[in-house]
Amino acid sequence: HSLFDILDNLPFPIMVKDIQNSFRYYYWNKESAAQSGISSEEAIGHTDYEIYGEERGEKRKIIINVICILYSIRINIFDIYK
């Protein structure tokens, strides 16, 4: 099994964004599709604006980008203490 096979079968939504490509979705698991009503084919390669429209896309972008930044900081802190 690949990592994506495992992630695809988890019982909660997992979305991965490509931070080097305008935060476009790179991965969207089955539970993300089930809860949002948006298939992985509709999400992957698209931004929040393209998926949700301007107003809702801006709100999602801010929330998810903050999470990405916090996660990045956490990784950097762990790297310091290795």
Side-chain angles (χ1 to χ4, degrees):
H1 291 286
S2 75
L3 176 60
F4 287 132
D5 290 334
I6 294 168
L7 294 175
D8 211 32
N9 291 296
L10 292 174
F12 46 85
I14 296 180
M15 299 153 279
V16 177
K17 286 186 162 193
D18 184 348
I19 61 172
Q20 296 178 336
N21 187 16
S22 302
F23 287 91
R24 294 179 183 279
Y25 286 98
Y26 177 78
Y27 177 77
W28 187 273
N29 77 345
K30 288 178 185 177
E31 192 61 26
S32 296
Q35 289 189 25
S36 69
I38 299 166
S39 71
S40 61
E41 291 81 13
E42 294 172 296
I44 293 173
H46 296 93
T47 66
D48 290 316
Y49 292 107
E50 294 167 336
I51 296 170
Y52 298 105
E54 189 172 333
E55 185 177 333
R56 188 166 175 216
E58 181 63 27
K59 290 176 185 175
R60 284 192 57 86
K61 177 186 158 201
I62 291 169
I63 292 167
I64 293 189
N65 292 353
V66 167
I67 291 168
C68 290
I69 290 167
L70 292 174
Y71 183 73
S72 175
I73 290 169
R74 188 176 125 232
I75 289 173
N76 290 336
I77 289 171
F78 285 130
D79 288 343
I80 292 169
Y81 292 103
K82 282 186 176 179

